[in-house]
Amino acid sequence: MTGRTSPAGVEHSGSTVGRVTTPSPLPDPVVRVPAPAPGAPGSGGLVDRHGRTATDLRVSLTDRCNLRCTYCMPPEGLDWLPKVEQLTDDEVVRLVRIGVEHLGIEEVRFTGGEPLLRPGLTGIVAATTALSPRPEVSLTTNAIGLSRMAPALAAAGLDRLNVSLDTLDRDRFKQLTHRDRLADVLAGLKAAKDAGLTPVKVNAVLLRGINEHDAVPLLEYCLDNGYELRFIEQMPLDAHHAWTRGEMVTAEDILAQLTAAHTLVPDVEERGAAPAERWLVDGTDLTVGVIASVTRSFCGACDRTRLTADGQIRNCLFAREESDLRTAMREGATDQELADRWRIATLTKLPGHGIDDPSFLQPSRPMSAIGG
Ligand code: SAM
Ligand code: SF4
């Protein structure tokens, strides 16, 4: 063979002047590789076929929980994942790193189940906040145990957290969660604020016949304590499949309660991919949000991707398919191969959750096993 092979693997020969062949003084030719289509395996971020890019990663650290919120988990609990199926701390950190370094993840939220039950939580948070580029790192928690853990989480670099609190009435809390732990949750909230994990956000779900009239007391408690309250419409993600559209407390119902007691003015600040519609309360700059996941879905602006505690990628809360990164990782897949699997899993993200569609099927995993 007379030609040479460039470092790029392209064969070429020297130039010919008259009858004399001389070595070319030119550098090796530049090989132009066509730019891959957005979302194609091999490069780029997590782009789906509808043009959305996922930059917000939700990581479930455990499917276990110490509460039994009726809209999430049955009183007897669930069949927990066997330990061997759960990602180890190192495996979680590796996949988060691949998301950040290869796939353009900008925000990481740890959730569950109850993430404070994960023994390695602070180490995982510290490893995530040490990544470059540094993602925003947050936590969604029921706050039981937070009064003890908040300083360590702040020291690990946690930026923010969301605490779930659906009522301030001890009996209703017990009825809703099957546990008498309201005081622990309130102590956890205060500890988060004291540790500087601000703004502390509070997530509330209202249920017909239990806490449906608690919107105003929750708002007033949050305003008084400097917490940002957001109501979330109940979604069909309960383990016992008891959700019905007719029984759901809607965003409209919630706003009717709030406006009967307070003046709400829409907050015109750019909402971006944030799911909460926000209102300024009583002429102040304090806000309340409503996440109308069911009645005014925001799927068109969705920027989320999810990793379950057993290492499955879900491109949507309501996805019926998952992509198994755990097995691939344990069989020796490289970072690049895992990133490609994640990209491919993203391509098929559906345009919307379709809860109102007659053909809608609730996912087989409940919220606690997916990671809310
Ligand atoms: N245990 C933590 C907590 O409760 O904050 C984190 C996991 S929990 C699954 C995450 C969030 O999902 C909570 O704010 C909870 O209220 C919400 N959630 C759970 N089931 C839900 C449902 N069926 N509809 C709407 N939100 C739900
Ligand atoms: Fe546990 Fe959170 Fe589900 Fe309540 S919503 S049962 S705290 S995982």
Side-chain angles (χ1 to χ4, degrees), residues 62-74 111-115 140-144 164 166 176-177 205 367-369 372:
T62 175
D63 59 335
R64 289 165 193 254
C65 192
N66 39 17
L67 293 185
R68 297 285 183 271
C69 305
T70 54
Y71 49 78
C72 182
M73 218 182 260
T111 177
E114 178 42 53
T140 301
T141 170
N142 64 25
I144 293 175
S164 302
D166 305 320
L176 217 145
T177 65
V205 178
M367 184 70 133
S368 58

Side-chain angles (χ1 to χ4, degrees), residues 303-361:
D303 63 353
R304 295 190 185 160
T305 180
R306 292 169 194 276
L307 174 64
T308 65
D310 54 345
Q312 312 296 305
I313 293 295
R314 294 180 67 92
N315 59 28
C316 172
L317 267 179
F318 296 94
R320 304 204 55 80
E321 283 173 6
E322 299 178 339
S323 177
D324 181 6
L325 295 194
R326 184 196 66 214
T327 304
M329 180 162 51
R330 290 183 182 173
E331 285 174 354
T334 62
D335 286 2
Q336 194 56 55
E337 284 161 355
L338 293 168
D340 278 348
R341 278 176 180 259
W342 204 330
R343 289 189 185 97
I344 290 164
T346 308
L347 281 173
T348 52
K349 180 163 166 166
L350 292 174
H353 57 46
I355 291 174
D356 278 334
D357 193 299
S359 64
F360 174 77
L361 281 176

Side-chain angles (χ1 to χ4, degrees), residues 262-265 279-286:
H262 293 276
T263 309
L264 301 191
V265 175
W279 282 265
L280 297 162
V281 186
D282 295 333
T284 67
D285 59 357
L286 303 172

